[in-house]
C-alpha cells in the first residue's frame, strides 16, 4: 500500500536537493562561536511538504529527508553519525507533528487565506512543533558534547531557529504550490507597483542591515506594504528576500547582527527574533488583507447579487403569467405589473377621474358592470376586516373583450399586526371556465350516451359487489342497483336475473376472472323484465391503478338472442340446403379457384359411376382426369378450351356437350359454372351445375319449330293482341288501385282510424281509376285509328307525374331516380295520358332490370332538346338488353310472366306522335331507352 502511494521520483529529488540547500543556508548563518544552531529552513520545507502530501506517502518523504540530512551532515555539520540520526529524528518528528496539527486545525488543503488559518499555523507549526525538534536536538548536543553545548543554552536558540525557518519557508512553499495559479495575471499598473516596491524594499533592507540606518525594523513598512497589496504571495517573496539579504550581510560581517565574540550570542538571538517577528507580522497582515479583500469581494458580490435579484424579481413580477397588483391599506392601487397594464391597456394613472377614488375609477373602467358592485363590496369587506380577499369576476381586456378572472389578495402586516400593504393576484380563468363547462357538457353527454346506448353496462368492485348499472340495463331487467341485496353481492344478482341452467357456469367464469385478473367473456341467458329469458353475451375487463392493482371491473351485456336464433335458423337452413343439394335432380360440382374439383353431389357421383378420390394418384389433375374420362372425344377439346378461358378470366362457363354415363352411354348435358368471390373480388370457389338434357336436345328442333308456329299464330290473332294490350296497360293503374285500397283499409281499421291518411289514399284510388279509364280510351282510340286531340304541354310536368306514379314502387325496390330536364325546353304537342304511359312503362322496366344487382340502384331520366325534337333518355344499371332488335316486337318478352306487348305499344304511341323509340347499351352494364318527340307539331 505504501508503494502504491509513492511520490514521483522527480518531486522527491527536488525535495532532497532543496533540503540540502536549506541545510547549507542554516550553516552559513551559524555565526555564534561554538554552536551550529541557526535559522532552520529545512524544517519549514519539510513541514510544508507533509501538509500538502497524502498521509500514506509520508514515509517516502521521511526517507528522502533522512538521506538529505545525512548528506548535509557530511558536507556541513560533521557530527557523529548517531548524533546526526537523532537530530534528524527530532526534525522529522517536528515536521510530522506540525503537519498533523495544521491539517487537523485547518480545512484541507491548507491555503493560509484567513486570519484564523494563519494564527493556527503560527501557533501549531511555528510554536508547538519546534518544541519537539529543540528538545531532541538540544539533548543530542548535550549527550554527545558537540561544541560544548548544554541543554539549557541550546534549547532556546534551537526552538527560535526552527520557528523562524518554519515561518519563512513554509508559507512560501504553500503559496507557490497552491495559491500561485489561483490568482489572475497582474495588470501593468500592478507590475509597476511590484517593481517599485521591490526596489524600495531592497534598498531599505540593504541600508538598515548594513548599518547605515540605525534601526533594522525600518524594513517593516515595505514588508507590510507587500503583504497588504499582494497578500500571501507578496509576503512570502518579501520574507525570502529579507532572509537572503540578512544572511548575506551577516555572513559578510557588515550587518549589525555581526560583532565581537561576547555580543554575538545576543545578536544571533536578535537575528532570529528579527526574522521571526518580520515573518509573523507579514503573515498576519497578509491574512488580514486577504480577509479584507474577501470581505470586500463578498460585499461587492452581495450588492451585485442583490441588484440582480431585484432586477430578476422585477422581471419575474412583470413576466409571471398572472396579473399582479398592490393596494395601500386604504385600498388605493399603488402598483400594477406589466402584464396587468398590457391586459387592461392602461396604467393606474390613466384611470384617474376627478371626484372619484382611483380604485373606484379602475373598477368602473375595467370591471364588467354586472360584477362591479359585488367586487366593490368584497374589497370593502376585506379592507374593513383585514380578511383575505377572493372573488371571481369579469375583467375587460384591452381589446374590449370581457374575460373571467379569479382575483385574490392578502394583507402584509408589521410586527404589531397593522396592515402595511395589500398584495393581490388576478388569474385569467376564462379558458379554464370554458373548458370546465365543456367538460361538464361532455360528462352529461357521456352519461346520456351510457344511459341510452343499447348495451347493458355494469360495474362491480374487486370483491364482486355490484357498483353501477346503466339505465339500459335497469330498463332491460326491470330492477335498480339498490334492488340487489348488498349482503349477497354478485351471487345474489346472478340468482335474480340469470337463467337457472346458466348460473353455475357464469359464477364459475366470473370467479376465475376475479381471481386471475383475466378478461371475462361468456354467453348466457338473461331474464328480461317481462320474465322471458334472452341470450346475452357478457364481457368484462379490469381497471387497474398505477401499481397494477384492480380497482374496478367494467362489463357490458349485449342482447344476442336474435343473432343466436338466426344462427340456429342458419344452421337449419344449411342442413336443409345440404339435403337439397344431395337430393336435387341436378348434378352439382364445387371446384377450387384453379378448377380442381372439391365436391360432387350424389347425383353426379352416381351418373359418373366413381368417387372423386379415385382420380388421385393417376398422374393427372382431377379436372383433367374427369374431362379425359367423361367428355365425348369430339367435344373434349372445346370443353377444355372453354374451361381454360373461364379459369383465366373469371367469366362464367356455359356449354352443352356429351358426357359419358357409368354404363358407357354418352348423353347431352348442359354444364354451367360461376365464380364465387370474396369481399375483395378474388375467386374462392367455382360452383358447377350439370343438367342431363339428352331428351331435350333431341326434341329441341321440334320444340323450336312449334314455338315459332305458335308465335305466328298468336301474332295473327288480332283479338288476342288487342286483349293483351288492354290487359298490359290497364294492369298498372289497376294494381295501384288495389294497393291503395289495401292501404285505405289499414288506415280505417286502425285504432283509432286514421281518417286523414285514408282520405289521401281514397284520392289516389280515384286518380288511378281515372288513369285506367283514360288508358282504355286511348288504347281503343289507337286501335280504331282515330285521332286524339293533342295539346302543347310542358314535358317536365308529364315526367313529374310519371315519377310520382312510380315513387312508391321505387321506394319498395330501393331505387333512386335522378331527373335532369333542360330549363329552356319548349312545350311539346302530345297526348298527356299516352306519353305518361310510355314513361311509366319504361321506368318500371328499368327498375325491374335492377332487381338482381347489389350496388346502388339509380334510374336516370334526362330530357334535352336536340334540334327540332325533345329527346328523353331513361337509363338503368341492370344486366342490359340481350336482343335489342326483337324487344319491340309484339309478344317478345324476356320476363318470366310478361306478355311482350309493353314496348310494342310504347313504340306505337311514340311513332303516332311523330317520334322514334330505340334502345342503347350502357358501359359497363345497363340499358338506355331513348324516344324523341317533335317540338313544332300543331295540335290536332
Amino acid at each position: 500500500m505504501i508503494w502504491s502511494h509513492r511520490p514521483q521520483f522527480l518531486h522527491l529529488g527536488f525535495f532532497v536537493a532543496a533540503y540540502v540547500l536549506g541545510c547549507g543556508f542554516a550553516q552559513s548563518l551559524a555565526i555564534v562561536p561554538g554552536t551550529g544552531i541557526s535559522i532552520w529552513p529545512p524544517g519549514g520545507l519539510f513541514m510544508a511538504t507533509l501538509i500538502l502530501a497524502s498521509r500514506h506517502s509520508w514515509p517516502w518523504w521521511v526517507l528522502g529527508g533522512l538521506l538529505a540530512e545525512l548528506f548535509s551532515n557530511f558536507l556541513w555539520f560533521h557530527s557523529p553519525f548517531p548524533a546526526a540520526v537523532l537530530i534528524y529524528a527530532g526534525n522529522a518528528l517536528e515536521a510530522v507533528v506540525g503537519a498533523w496539527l495544521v491539517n487537523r486545525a485547518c480545512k484541507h488543503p491548507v491555503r493560509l487565506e484567513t486570519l484564523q488559518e494563519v494564527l493556527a499555523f503560527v501557533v501549531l507549526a511555528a510554536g508547538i512543533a519546534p518544541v519537539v525538534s529543540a528538545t531532541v536536538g538540544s539533548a543530542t548536543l548535550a549527550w554527545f558534547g558537540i561544541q560544548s553545548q548544554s541543554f539549557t543554552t541550546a534549547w532556546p536558540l534551537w526552538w527560535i531557529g526552527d520557528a523562524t525557518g518554519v515561518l519563512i519557508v513554509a508559507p512560501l512553499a504553500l503559496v507557490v504550490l497552491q495559491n500561485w495559479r489561483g490568482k489572475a495575471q497582474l495588470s501593468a499598473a500592478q507590475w509597476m507597483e511590484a517593481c517599485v516596491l521591490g526596489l524600495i524594499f531592497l534598498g531599505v533592507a540593504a541600508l538598515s542591515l548594513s548599518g547605515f540606518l540605525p534601526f533594522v525594523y525600518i524594513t517593516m513598512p515595505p514588508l507590510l506594504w507587500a503583504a497588504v497589496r499582494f497578500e500571501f504571495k507578496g509576503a512570502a517573496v518579501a520574507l525570502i528576500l529579507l532572509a537572503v539579504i540578512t544572511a548575506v550581510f551577516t555572513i559578510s560581517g557588515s550587518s549589525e547582527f555581526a560583532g565581537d565574540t561576547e555580543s554575538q550570542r545576543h545578536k544571533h538571538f536578535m537575528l532570529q527574533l528579527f526574522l521571526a517577528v518580520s515573518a509573523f507580522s507579514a503573515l498576519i497582515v497578509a491574512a488580514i488583507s486577504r480577509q479584507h479583500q474577501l470581505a470586500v469581494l463578498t460585499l461587492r458580490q452581495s450588492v451585485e447579487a442583490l441588484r440582480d435579484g431585484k432586477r430578476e424579481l422585477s422581471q419575474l413580477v412583470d413576466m409571471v403569467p398572472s396579473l399582479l397588483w398592490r393596494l395601500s391599506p386604504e385600498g388605493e392601487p399603488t402598483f400594477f405589473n406589466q402584464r396587468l397594464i398590457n391586459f387592461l391597456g392602461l396604467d393606474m394613472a390613466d384611470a384617474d377621474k376627478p371626484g372619484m377614488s382611483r380604485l373606484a375609477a379602475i373598477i368602473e373602467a375595467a370591471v364588467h358592470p354586472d360584477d362591479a358592485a359585488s367586487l366593490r363590496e368584497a374589497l370593502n369587506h376585506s379592507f374593513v376586516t383585514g380578511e383575505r380577499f377572493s372573488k371571481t369576476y369579469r375583467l375587460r381586456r384591452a381589446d374590449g373583450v370581457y374575460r373571467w378572472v379569479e382575483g385574490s389578495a392578502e394583507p402584509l402586516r408589521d410586527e404589531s399586526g397593522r396592515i402595511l400593504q395589500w398584495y393581490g393576484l388576478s388569474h385569467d380563468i376564462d379558458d379554464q371556465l370554458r373548458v370546465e363547462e365543456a367538460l361538464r357538457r361532455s360528462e352529461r353527454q357521456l352519461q346520456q350516451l351510457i344511459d341510452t346506448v343499447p348495451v347493458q353496462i355494469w360495474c362491480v368492485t374487486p370483491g364482486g359487489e355490484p357498483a353501477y348499472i346503466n339505465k339500459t340495463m335497469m330498463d332491460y331487467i326491470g330492477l335498480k342497483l339498490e334492488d340487489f341485496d348488498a349482503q349477497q353481492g354478485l351471487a345474489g344478482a346472478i340468482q335474480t336475473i340469470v337463467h337457472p341452467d346458466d348460473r353455475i357456469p357464469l359464477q364459475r367464469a366470473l370467479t376465475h376472472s376475479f381471481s386471475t385478473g383475466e378478461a371475462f367473456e361468456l354467453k348466457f341467458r338473461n331474464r328480461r323484465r317481462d320474465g322471458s329469458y334472452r341470450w346475452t353475451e357478457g364481457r368484462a375487463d379490469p381497471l387497474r391503478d398505477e401499481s397494477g392493482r384492480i380497482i374496478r371491473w367494467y362489463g357490458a351485456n349485449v342482447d344476442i338472442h336474435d343473432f343466436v336464433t338466426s344462427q340456429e335458423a342458419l344452421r337449419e337452413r344449411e342442413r336443409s340446403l345440404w339435403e337439397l343439394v344431395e337430393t336435387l335432380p341436378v348434378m352439382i360440382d364445387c371446384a377450387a379457384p384453379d378448377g380442381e374439383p372439391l365436391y360432387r353431389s350424389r347425383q353426379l357421383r352416381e351418373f359418373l359411376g366413381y368417387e372423386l378420390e379415385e382420380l388421385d394418384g393417376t398422374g393427372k389433375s382431377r379436372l383433367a382426369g374427369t374431362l379425359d374420362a367423361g367428355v365425348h372425344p369430339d367435344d373434349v377439346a372445346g370443353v377444355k378450351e372453354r374451361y381454360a378461358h373461364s379459369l383465366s378470366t373469371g367469366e362464367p362457363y356455359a356449354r352443352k356437350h356429351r358426357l359419358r354415363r357409368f354404363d358407357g352411354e354418352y348423353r347431352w348435358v348442359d354444364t354451367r359454372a360461376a365464380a364465387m368471390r370474396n369481399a375483395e373480388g378474388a375467386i374462392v370457389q367455382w360452383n358447377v351445375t350439370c343438367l342431363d338434357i339428352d331428351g331435350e336436345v333431341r326434341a329441341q328442333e321440334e320444340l323450336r319449330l312449334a314455338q315459332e308456329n305458335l308465335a305466328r299464330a298468336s301474332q295473327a290473332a288480332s283479338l288476342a293482341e288487342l286483349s293483351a294490350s288492354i290487359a298490359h296497360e290497364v294492369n298498372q293503374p289497376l294494381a295501384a288501385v288495389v294497393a291503395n285500397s289495401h292501404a285505405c283499409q289499414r288506415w280505417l281499421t286502425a285504432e283509432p282510424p286514421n281518417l286523414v291518411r285514408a282520405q289521401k289514399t281514397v284520392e289516389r284510388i280515384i286518380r288511378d281509376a281515372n288513369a285506367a279509364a283514360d288508358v282504355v280510351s286511348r288504347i281503343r282510340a289507337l286501335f280504331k285509328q282515330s285521332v286524339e286531340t293533342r295539346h302543347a304541354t310542358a314535358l317536365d310536368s308529364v315526367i313529374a307525374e310519371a315519377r310520382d306514379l312510380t315513387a312508391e314502387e321505387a321506394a319498395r325496390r330501393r331505387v333512386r331516380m335522378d331527373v335532369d330536364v333542360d330549363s329552356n325546353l319548349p312545350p311539346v304537342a302530345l297526348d298527356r295520358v299516352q306519353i305518361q304511359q310510355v314513361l311509366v312503362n319504361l321506368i318500371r322496366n328499368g327498375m325491374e332490370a335492377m332487381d338482381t344487382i347489389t350496388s346502388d340502384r339509380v334510374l336516370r331520366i334526362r330530357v334535352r332538346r336536340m334540334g327540332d325534337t325533345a329527346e328523353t333518355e331513361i337509363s338503368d344499371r341492370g344486366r342490359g338488353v340481350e336482343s335489342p332488335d326483337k324487344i319491340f316486337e309484339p309478344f317478345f318478352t324476356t320476363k318470366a310472366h310478361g306478355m311482350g306487348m309493353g314496348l310494342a305499344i310504347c313504340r306505337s304511341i311514340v311513332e303516332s306522335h311523330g317520334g322514334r323509340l330505340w334502345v342503347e347499351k350502357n358501359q359497363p352494364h345497363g340499358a338506355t331507352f331513348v324516344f324523341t318527340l317533335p317540338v313544332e307539331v300543331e295540335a290536332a
Side-chain angles (χ1 to χ4, degrees):
M1 180 176 180
I2 295 176
W3 178 261
S4 63
H5 290 87
R6 67 187 184 279
Q8 297 183 17
F9 288 107
L10 180 61
H11 296 168
L12 194 60
F14 284 146
F15 170 73
V16 172
Y19 195 98
V20 172
L21 293 176
C23 291
F25 181 81
Q27 176 63 24
S28 65
L29 288 180
I31 60 175
V32 178
T35 180
I37 303 171
S38 180
I39 298 174
W40 188 246
L45 175 65
F46 203 172
M47 191 178 297
T49 302
L50 295 183
I51 289 174
L52 296 176
S54 171
R55 190 172 300 177
H56 298 289
S57 67
W58 282 7
W60 291 94
W61 300 110
V62 172
L63 179 60
L66 176 60
L67 296 177
E69 180 77 19
L70 295 178
F71 185 70
S72 300
N73 183 66
F74 172 75
L75 291 177
W76 320 113
F77 305 123
H78 309 294
S79 300
F81 181 77
V85 173
L86 289 175
I87 291 173
Y88 174 73
N91 294 335
L93 286 174
E94 173 194 359
V96 170
V97 171
W100 183 80
L101 291 175
V102 170
N103 284 333
R104 289 294 300 269
C106 303
K107 61 182 181 178
H108 193 76
V110 180
R111 297 183 181 275
L112 299 181
E113 291 185 341
T114 65
L115 181 61
Q116 180 180 359
E117 290 182 349
V118 171
L119 291 175
F121 175 78
V122 170
V123 172
L124 299 176
I128 297 177
V131 171
V132 179
S133 177
T135 302
V136 175
S138 299
T140 302
L141 292 178
W143 185 12
F144 285 92
I146 299 174
Q147 297 182 359
S148 303
Q149 291 287 335
S150 65
F151 180 82
T152 56
T153 58
W155 194 92
L157 294 176
W158 198 297
W159 177 81
I160 194 169
D162 282 8
T164 303
V166 170
L167 289 175
I168 293 175
V169 177
L172 177 63
L174 293 174
V175 169
V176 170
L177 298 177
Q178 291 206 100
N179 296 337
W180 198 266
R181 295 181 181 179
K183 182 70 175 179
Q185 295 295 328
L186 298 178
S187 63
Q190 289 176 323
W191 275 113
M192 180 85 58
E193 181 182 1
C195 292
V196 173
L197 176 60
L199 294 175
I200 294 174
F201 181 74
L202 291 175
V204 172
L207 293 175
S208 62
L209 291 172
S210 63
F212 286 96
L213 294 178
F215 188 56
V216 295
Y217 285 100
I218 200 170
T219 58
M220 292 299 292
L223 178 63
L224 298 180
W225 182 3
V228 170
R229 293 294 295 162
F230 299 99
E231 300 175 358
F232 288 101
K233 296 176 183 178
V237 173
L239 286 174
I240 292 297
L241 292 175
L242 180 62
V244 172
I245 295 171
T246 302
V248 171
F249 281 100
T250 303
I251 294 171
S252 64
S254 59
S255 171
E256 68 174 50
F257 297 110
D260 54 10
T261 305
E262 287 78 9
S263 63
Q264 279 186 350
R265 183 180 297 276
H266 173 71
K267 290 184 177 182
H268 190 191
F269 181 79
M270 294 305 296
L271 170 63
Q272 292 175 323
L273 183 62
F274 167 69
L275 293 177
V277 171
S278 299
F280 177 76
S281 301
L283 292 176
I284 293 298
V285 171
I288 294 174
S289 176
R290 177 61 176 168
Q291 198 160 344
H292 172 72
Q293 292 296 330
L294 291 175
V296 172
L297 179 61
T298 303
L299 178 61
R300 186 180 298 110
Q301 291 175 347
S302 299
V303 172
E304 187 65 26
L306 182 61
R307 187 180 297 110
D308 293 341
K310 183 178 179 181
R311 184 168 57 254
E312 290 178 1
L313 180 60
S314 177
Q315 293 175 351
L316 176 64
V317 170
D318 287 336
M319 296 304 295
V320 68
S322 294
L323 313 177
L324 302 179
W325 40 273
R326 185 178 65 223
L327 305 178
S328 66
E330 295 77 21
E332 285 303 297
T334 59
F335 170 77
F336 285 173
N337 74 333
Q338 191 61 41
R339 283 192 178 269
L340 181 55
I341 295 173
N342 296 337
F343 184 91
L344 298 176
L346 53 87
D347 205 345
M348 296 178 295
D350 299 335
D352 291 344
K353 289 186 178 180
M356 183 180 296
S357 67
R358 179 175 289 178
L359 179 62
I362 291 176
I363 292 177
E364 180 180 357
V367 179
H368 194 280
D370 296 342
D371 303 331
S374 60
L375 176 63
R376 193 180 299 108
E377 181 180 352
L379 285 171
N380 292 332
H381 175 76
S382 296
F383 296 154
V384 173
T385 62
E387 298 177 357
R388 179 180 183 274
F389 162 76
S390 180
K391 181 71 175 175
T392 301
Y393 54 94
R394 284 165 288 184
L395 198 62
R396 185 183 61 80
R397 202 165 56 184
D399 57 2
V401 176
Y402 285 96
R403 294 182 65 84
W404 283 100
V405 298
E406 184 178 5
S408 60
E410 297 276 358
L412 175 65
R413 303 175 184 269
D414 59 11
E415 296 178 354
S416 63
R418 184 172 60 89
I419 296 177
L420 301 177
Q421 297 285 345
W422 284 88
Y423 290 93
L425 178 145
S426 297
H427 187 63
D428 189 331
I429 60 170
D430 194 80
D431 296 334
Q432 177 183 347
L433 292 179
R434 296 180 188 276
V435 170
E436 290 177 353
E437 179 61 27
L439 181 60
R440 286 191 292 268
R441 185 165 58 251
S442 177
E443 289 177 350
R444 289 194 299 269
Q445 293 175 351
L446 179 60
Q447 187 62 45
Q448 293 173 355
L449 174 64
I450 293 175
D451 287 338
T452 57
V453 67
V455 176
Q456 305 169 40
I457 300 175
W458 49 272
C459 172
V460 298
T461 63
E465 180 180 350
Y468 171 80
I469 57 176
N470 69 335
K471 186 175 182 299
T472 301
M473 187 170 183
M474 288 189 289
D475 295 341
Y476 187 89
I477 64 177
L479 297 173
K480 298 181 179 179
L481 184 63
E482 52 269 19
D483 295 333
F484 295 103
D485 189 354
Q487 300 296 327
Q488 295 183 2
L490 185 60
I494 293 175
Q495 191 72 21
T496 304
I497 63 175
V498 178
H499 192 278
D501 296 342
D502 300 334
R503 291 170 184 168
I504 295 177
L506 177 60
Q507 182 68 50
R508 189 177 300 145
L510 286 172
T511 302
H512 174 75
S513 295
F514 293 158
S515 60
T516 62
E518 298 177 1
F520 160 78
E521 182 177 356
L522 188 69
K523 295 181 178 66
F524 57 92
R525 283 163 289 184
N526 205 12
R527 186 182 63 80
R528 201 164 55 177
R529 64 187 307 160
D530 59 2
S532 61
Y533 287 97
R534 294 180 62 84
W535 281 102
T536 301
E537 183 177 18
R539 297 186 179 185
D541 285 298
L543 175 65
R544 302 176 184 270
D545 58 15
E546 295 179 354
S547 63
R549 184 174 58 89
I550 296 176
I551 56 177
R552 278 290 188 274
W553 282 87
Y554 288 96
N557 294 345
V558 180
D559 189 322
I560 60 170
H561 190 80
D562 296 336
F563 176 72
V564 172
T565 55
S566 65
Q567 280 188 324
E568 293 178 353
L570 179 60
R571 285 191 291 269
E572 181 63 29
R573 284 196 298 271
E574 288 178 352
R575 288 192 297 269
S576 300
L577 180 60
W578 181 262
E579 294 176 356
L580 176 64
V581 170
E582 288 294 317
T583 59
L584 195 67
V586 176
M587 295 176 285
I588 298 175
D589 186 13
C590 296
D594 60 355
E596 285 298 290
L598 301 174
Y599 163 79
R600 285 175 177 171
S601 65
R602 179 172 56 84
Q603 286 80 4
L604 181 57
R605 296 195 303 269
E606 292 177 353
F607 183 91
L608 295 175
Y610 59 87
E611 297 292 332
L612 184 62
E613 291 75 13
E614 297 179 17
L615 296 172
D616 299 335
T618 61
K620 296 182 180 180
S621 64
R622 288 182 173 182
L623 178 60
T626 301
L627 298 181
D628 291 341
V631 180
H632 194 278
D634 297 341
D635 302 333
V636 67
V639 170
K640 286 184 176 181
E641 180 181 356
R642 183 59 185 168
Y643 264 122
H645 176 77
S646 296
L647 292 175
S648 62
T649 62
E651 296 179 1
Y653 171 88
R655 188 173 180 86
K656 296 180 177 66
H657 60 88
R658 286 162 288 184
L659 187 64
R660 185 178 182 277
R661 199 167 58 179
F662 66 95
D663 56 3
E665 180 185 353
Y666 285 97
R667 296 182 63 83
W668 283 98
V669 294
D670 185 2
T671 304
R672 298 179 182 271
M676 184 170 66
R677 303 176 184 269
N678 57 16
E680 291 75 21
I683 297 175
V684 296
Q685 183 174 298
W686 286 90
N687 297 322
V688 185
T689 62
C690 187
L691 184 63
D692 187 340
I693 59 171
D694 193 75
E696 288 82 351
V697 169
R698 292 189 177 92
Q700 184 176 9
E701 186 64 23
E702 293 82 354
L703 180 60
R704 184 181 60 81
L705 294 175
Q707 289 176 342
E708 290 180 356
N709 294 332
L710 179 60
R712 285 193 295 269
S714 298
Q715 293 171 2
S718 59
L719 180 60
E721 179 179 352
L722 178 61
S723 301
S725 64
I726 295 173
H728 180 276
E729 296 301 319
V730 174
N731 182 58
Q732 294 177 354
L734 290 182
V737 170
V738 173
N740 288 324
S741 299
H742 288 306
C744 180
Q745 183 180 17
R746 287 197 304 271
W747 295 126
L748 292 175
T749 57
E751 289 296 336
N754 194 332
L755 299 179
V756 175
R757 299 301 296 268
Q759 176 67 28
K760 291 182 179 181
T761 307
V762 169
E763 293 174 359
R764 292 177 181 174
I765 294 172
I766 296 173
R767 181 198 65 189
D768 294 337
N770 290 332
D774 292 338
V775 169
V776 172
S777 300
R778 294 302 187 273
I779 292 176
R780 292 179 62 190
L782 179 64
F783 283 94
K784 288 179 179 180
Q785 301 296 322
S786 59
V787 179
E788 292 291 334
T789 303
R790 297 171 183 169
H791 303 281
T793 306
L795 192 56
D796 56 347
S797 63
V798 180
I799 292 175
E801 292 176 356
R803 181 180 182 180
D804 293 338
L805 289 172
T806 57
E808 292 184 0
E809 184 176 356
R812 187 178 74 256
R813 295 178 182 270
R814 292 179 288 117
V815 175
R816 185 178 81 250
M817 288 191 288
D818 290 341
V819 179
D820 181 14
V821 180
D822 287 352
S823 58
N824 59 351
L825 193 66
V828 179
L830 52 80
D831 187 310
R832 189 182 195 91
V833 175
Q834 290 183 351
I835 298 302
Q836 186 181 99
Q837 289 301 310
V838 172
L839 289 169
V840 170
N841 198 319
L842 295 178
I843 290 173
R844 282 178 173 161
N845 285 346
M847 290 191 292
E848 291 174 358
M850 293 188 289
D851 283 344
T852 59
I853 68 171
T854 58
S855 57
D856 290 344
R857 301 177 180 178
V858 180
L859 187 74
R860 185 179 180 187
I861 303 173
R862 182 181 179 185
V863 183
R864 57 184 175 177
R865 181 170 182 174
M866 300 294 291
D868 296 333
T869 62
E871 184 179 281
T872 302
E873 296 179 358
I874 300 175
S875 177
D876 62 70
R877 297 183 180 180
R879 299 181 62 179
V881 178
E882 295 181 357
S883 303
D885 298 331
K886 296 183 179 181
I887 58 174
F888 295 101
E889 296 178 2
F891 300 104
F892 179 85
T893 180
T894 59
K895 302 178 183 178
H897 303 288
M899 292 184 295
M901 292 303 300
L903 292 177
I905 295 174
C906 289
R907 172 172 278 184
S908 299
I909 294 175
V910 171
E911 290 177 352
S912 68
H913 282 71
R916 190 166 63 91
L917 173 63
W918 71 92
V919 64
E920 298 175 352
K921 290 185 178 181
N922 294 343
Q923 293 296 332
H925 50 75
T928 299
F929 285 85
V930 186
F931 68 89
T932 60
L933 295 175
V935 297
E936 295 182 356
V937 177
E938 295 181 357

